Amino acid sequence: MKQQLEQTRLEIQSILADKVIPFWLERAVDKQYGGYLTSFDENGKFDGNGVKCMVTQSRMLWGFSYLAPFARAEDWPRMKAAADQGYEFFKKYFFDPVYGGVYWMLNRDGSVADAAKLVYGEGFAIYALAQYAITYHCAEALALAESIFDLLQKYCADTRFGGYFENVERDFSLSPAGAYAGDRKSLDIHMHLLEAFTTLYQASGKEIHQRKLKEVLDVIMDHMVDKEQGFGYNQFKTDFTRVPAIAIKRTWNAERETNEALEEPADTTSYGHNIELTWLADLALQKLGCEREGYDAAFGRILRHALAHGIDWERGGVYRDGVGCGPALVLDKEWWQNFEAMTGLLNGYRMYGGEELAKGFLNVWHFVRDRFINLEIGESRQMLSVTGEPLVSNLGNPWKGIYHTGRALAVCLENFERLEK
């Protein structure tokens, strides 16, 4: 096992530095308007879709910041230049001068396409600005991240039931109920607030950021996760009553090119989110420095549930969705669940040991390496069939950038380093 893991570490190190980072360095910077281009076909050619979504623009800025130490030394100046120009575009076009916060969607030239203030986008703006501040020592970026955080506390924090209202319009009024989900909360958005607040607290060291980080972690674990059976639920009413998951407007689930979908809404669980939560929550606890009693037992159950229900032990990889402790329901395989599962399983192995977690990690890594990553071009395909055949072969789209692929590989390398120590 040790030899297999060491070989995998070398493979990941090479693919990140020599394939994934150069893929985006060579293509992502929009030389005409600034910001980032993210839509690339299976051959790495720009497909003409130049819309700039807050989520993906933030993730690209985050990537050119966080991943700089993992790049080849000769690429470090280009990483900073790519981050700097993305930051300038971000400041110039995404901030709303009237109501504050950042817009959800811009056209390629920076004009506003959708002025909504979705908490998903606001959270990723905090994440990116805080990481840019950490990597490149930019006090202005940290101040901007804190200003967005303050707006979330003022307009989006649910002071009755806890957590955050997720879908709001330009003036921070709640979006309509139903498909625009002004009446719903989700594990997805709160989990990404968790990572945003973790990085913000790391950057600022402020007590308010620490306290709100702990709050969102406990909202997730107390209301959104079945800690005894080991899985999270997808969607809730604002009082955290579970509801069948629907395709909400302005989300990846509604806008993805897809093969499989459930005909009727179901109270589903996402294996990718469940495993991702274990390592993001572990990271939050590390930064908080608080007691781990109760958390580790829950994380262990979540990982065991994923091993039992989410991993395709025969063909490799992770299924998209299932329900409770029953079998998986949506069997095709998407890039982000597989990359996040790889990260979480290795992190779990580092924390708890156990050969089953190491085997699960290697299962997913081999599937990612052999099926998802287009090694000739340098990035991951979007979606595969249950047997690993390409269904959607594009390497980037308005929702898909460097974030899941680059981060997964980088965090795995960090875990390998900690395992060695």
Side-chain angles (χ1 to χ4, degrees), residues 36 38 51-63 90 94 102-106 114 116-128 188-189 192 195 250-252 255 335 397-404:
Y36 304 107
T38 59
V51 296
K52 290 171 176 168
C53 178
M54 167 48 55
V55 170
T56 324
Q57 296 296 300
S58 295
R59 289 172 169 182
M60 294 302 299
L61 175 59
W62 175 90
F90 195 111
F94 269 107
V102 290
Y103 299 125
W104 174 246
M105 183 84 70
L106 303 180
D114 186 342
K117 303 291 170 55
L118 304 190
V119 169
Y120 196 53
E122 306 297 307
F124 271 107
I126 294 170
Y127 187 51
D188 184 6
I189 277 70
H192 289 297
E195 67 182 332
R250 300 162 168 157
T251 66
W252 169 247
E255 297 182 9
W335 97 102
N397 60 48
W399 285 89
K400 183 180 183 297
I402 199 172
Y403 165 77
H404 283 296

Side-chain angles (χ1 to χ4, degrees), residues 311-314 316-317 358-368:
I311 290 183
D312 184 342
W313 290 100
E314 178 184 354
K359 288 180 178 178
F361 162 72
L362 290 170
N363 169 294
V364 179
W365 164 245
H366 292 151
F367 190 78
V368 163

Side-chain angles (χ1 to χ4, degrees), residues 139-150:
E140 179 190 53
L142 178 55
L144 291 173
E146 291 189 54
S147 73
I148 299 171
F149 170 88
D150 291 344

Side-chain angles (χ1 to χ4, degrees), residues 368-401:
V368 163
R369 180 196 63 193
D370 298 340
R371 298 290 191 167
F372 270 107
I373 299 177
N374 184 333
L375 287 173
E376 182 180 352
I377 310 297
E379 240 293 334
S380 172
R381 301 173 177 91
Q382 178 186 315
M383 188 179 292
L384 309 178
S385 71
V386 67
T387 57
E389 302 305 314
L391 297 174
V392 184
S393 295
N394 65 37
L395 305 180
N397 60 48
W399 285 89
K400 183 180 183 297

Side-chain angles (χ1 to χ4, degrees), residues 7 45 59 76 92 97 119 149 172 190 219 241 265-266 279 298 336 356 365-366 368 379 382 401:
Q7 177 61 33
K45 303 295 184 183
R59 289 172 169 182
W76 291 346
K92 184 175 181 180
V119 169
F149 170 88
F172 290 96
H190 281 74
V219 162
T241 301
W279 80 262
W336 73 261
E356 196 75 358
W365 164 245
H366 292 151
V368 163
E379 240 293 334
Q382 178 186 315

Side-chain angles (χ1 to χ4, degrees), residues 221 227-230 278 294-307 348 351-352 357:
M221 298 305 295
K227 291 179 284 191
E228 295 305 314
Q229 297 190 82
T278 63
Y295 292 106
D296 281 314
F299 299 160
R301 293 187 190 103
I302 291 170
L303 290 168
R304 288 194 293 275
H305 178 274
L307 291 172
M351 287 195 296
Y352 310 121
L357 285 168

